[in-house]
Amino acid sequence: MATQVRTSADIGALVRTTRKEQNLRQDELAGVSGVGVRFIVDLEAGKPTAQVGKVLQVLRMLGCSVDIVAPGERGR
């Protein structure tokens, strides 16, 4: 199911929900993603300055994909 993400808080909520659905603790997700626990805590809290590369890494480890739709592509 696709989730539309508009804010860093939306990403944080998606990460938290998906992590919990997979029965992972924050430290476990951090370990398999190659990031620190503090990064996961901040990401789930919606920190707007989280590093994009690390965010994508975490999302990938959770099995999420990111699709970016350009303005002219909407509705096709």
Side-chain angles (χ1 to χ4, degrees):
M1 179 173 146
T3 301
Q4 196 167 47
V5 173
R6 295 185 186 271
T7 67
S8 56
D10 293 342
I11 294 172
L14 174 67
V15 168
R16 182 182 312 103
T17 300
T18 306
R19 173 181 61 77
K20 288 183 176 187
E21 287 172 354
Q22 295 181 17
N23 295 314
L24 290 170
R25 297 186 318 259
Q26 288 177 324
D27 64 314
E28 292 172 327
L29 177 56
V32 298
S33 299
V35 300
V37 176
R38 181 84 246 161
F39 181 82
I40 299 296
V41 170
D42 289 345
L43 177 59
E44 289 186 359
K47 182 178 180 182
T49 58
Q51 294 177 27
V52 174
K54 288 183 178 182
V55 172
L56 294 173
Q57 212 170 300
V58 171
L59 290 170
R60 190 170 36 255
M61 291 310 299
L62 287 170
C64 297
S65 64
V66 176
D67 297 320
I68 298 175
V69 180
E73 300 285 320
R74 288 189 176 99
R76 287 188 183 179

PDB file of all heavy atoms in Angstrom, residues 69-76:
ATOM      1  N   VAL A  69       7.538  11.500  -7.740  1.00  0.00           N
ATOM      2  CA  VAL A  69       6.739  11.813  -8.914  1.00  0.00           C
ATOM      3  C   VAL A  69       6.893  13.299  -9.230  1.00  0.00           C
ATOM      4  O   VAL A  69       6.568  14.148  -8.392  1.00  0.00           O
ATOM      5  CB  VAL A  69       5.250  11.465  -8.663  1.00  0.00           C
ATOM      6  CG1 VAL A  69       4.419  11.784  -9.885  1.00  0.00           C
ATOM      7  CG2 VAL A  69       5.104  10.006  -8.256  1.00  0.00           C
ATOM      8  N   ALA A  70       7.400  13.573 -10.396  1.00  0.00           N
ATOM      9  CA  ALA A  70       7.563  14.958 -10.827  1.00  0.00           C
ATOM     10  C   ALA A  70       6.182  15.581 -11.055  1.00  0.00           C
ATOM     11  O   ALA A  70       5.224  14.870 -11.379  1.00  0.00           O
ATOM     12  CB  ALA A  70       8.394  15.020 -12.115  1.00  0.00           C
ATOM     13  N   PRO A  71       6.068  16.903 -10.910  1.00  0.00           N
ATOM     14  CA  PRO A  71       4.762  17.550 -11.057  1.00  0.00           C
ATOM     15  C   PRO A  71       4.026  17.182 -12.346  1.00  0.00           C
ATOM     16  O   PRO A  71       2.837  16.945 -12.351  1.00  0.00           O
ATOM     17  CB  PRO A  71       5.089  19.040 -11.017  1.00  0.00           C
ATOM     18  CG  PRO A  71       6.340  19.121 -10.231  1.00  0.00           C
ATOM     19  CD  PRO A  71       7.107  17.854 -10.557  1.00  0.00           C
ATOM     20  N   GLY A  72       4.724  17.110 -13.450  1.00  0.00           N
ATOM     21  CA  GLY A  72       4.097  16.778 -14.737  1.00  0.00           C
ATOM     22  C   GLY A  72       3.672  15.316 -14.848  1.00  0.00           C
ATOM     23  O   GLY A  72       2.937  14.944 -15.751  1.00  0.00           O
ATOM     24  N   GLU A  73       4.138  14.480 -13.931  1.00  0.00           N
ATOM     25  CA  GLU A  73       3.844  13.045 -13.956  1.00  0.00           C
ATOM     26  C   GLU A  73       2.572  12.702 -13.186  1.00  0.00           C
ATOM     27  O   GLU A  73       2.053  11.605 -13.304  1.00  0.00           O
ATOM     28  CB  GLU A  73       5.008  12.262 -13.330  1.00  0.00           C
ATOM     29  CG  GLU A  73       6.317  12.452 -14.049  1.00  0.00           C
ATOM     30  CD  GLU A  73       6.370  11.675 -15.356  1.00  0.00           C
ATOM     31  OE1 GLU A  73       5.883  10.538 -15.375  1.00  0.00           O
ATOM     32  OE2 GLU A  73       6.884  12.221 -16.331  1.00  0.00           O
ATOM     33  N   ARG A  74       2.093  13.591 -12.351  1.00  0.00           N
ATOM     34  CA  ARG A  74       0.922  13.304 -11.522  1.00  0.00           C
ATOM     35  C   ARG A  74      -0.300  13.045 -12.376  1.00  0.00           C
ATOM     36  O   ARG A  74      -0.531  13.724 -13.360  1.00  0.00           O
ATOM     37  CB  ARG A  74       0.643  14.464 -10.563  1.00  0.00           C
ATOM     38  CG  ARG A  74       1.659  14.524  -9.463  1.00  0.00           C
ATOM     39  CD  ARG A  74       1.238  15.543  -8.407  1.00  0.00           C
ATOM     40  NE  ARG A  74       2.177  15.510  -7.306  1.00  0.00           N
ATOM     41  CZ  ARG A  74       3.177  16.370  -7.157  1.00  0.00           C
ATOM     42  NH1 ARG A  74       3.355  17.340  -8.008  1.00  0.00           N
ATOM     43  NH2 ARG A  74       3.991  16.264  -6.123  1.00  0.00           N
ATOM     44  N   GLY A  75      -1.082  12.057 -11.942  1.00  0.00           N
ATOM     45  CA  GLY A  75      -2.350  11.777 -12.604  1.00  0.00           C
ATOM     46  C   GLY A  75      -2.244  10.945 -13.861  1.00  0.00           C
ATOM     47  O   GLY A  75      -3.219  10.705 -14.537  1.00  0.00           O
ATOM     48  N   ARG A  76      -1.078  10.481 -14.217  1.00  0.00           N
ATOM     49  CA  ARG A  76      -0.919   9.646 -15.413  1.00  0.00           C
ATOM     50  C   ARG A  76      -1.214   8.212 -15.095  1.00  0.00           C
ATOM     51  O   ARG A  76      -1.060   7.695 -14.093  1.00  0.00           O
ATOM     52  CB  ARG A  76       0.499   9.738 -15.959  1.00  0.00           C
ATOM     53  CG  ARG A  76       0.753  11.067 -16.619  1.00  0.00           C
ATOM     54  CD  ARG A  76       2.073  11.021 -17.287  1.00  0.00           C
ATOM     55  NE  ARG A  76       2.360  12.321 -17.854  1.00  0.00           N
ATOM     56  CZ  ARG A  76       3.470  12.610 -18.491  1.00  0.00           C
ATOM     57  NH1 ARG A  76       4.390  11.724 -18.668  1.00  0.00           N
ATOM     58  NH2 ARG A  76       3.677  13.801 -18.966  1.00  0.00           N
TER      59      ARG A  76
END
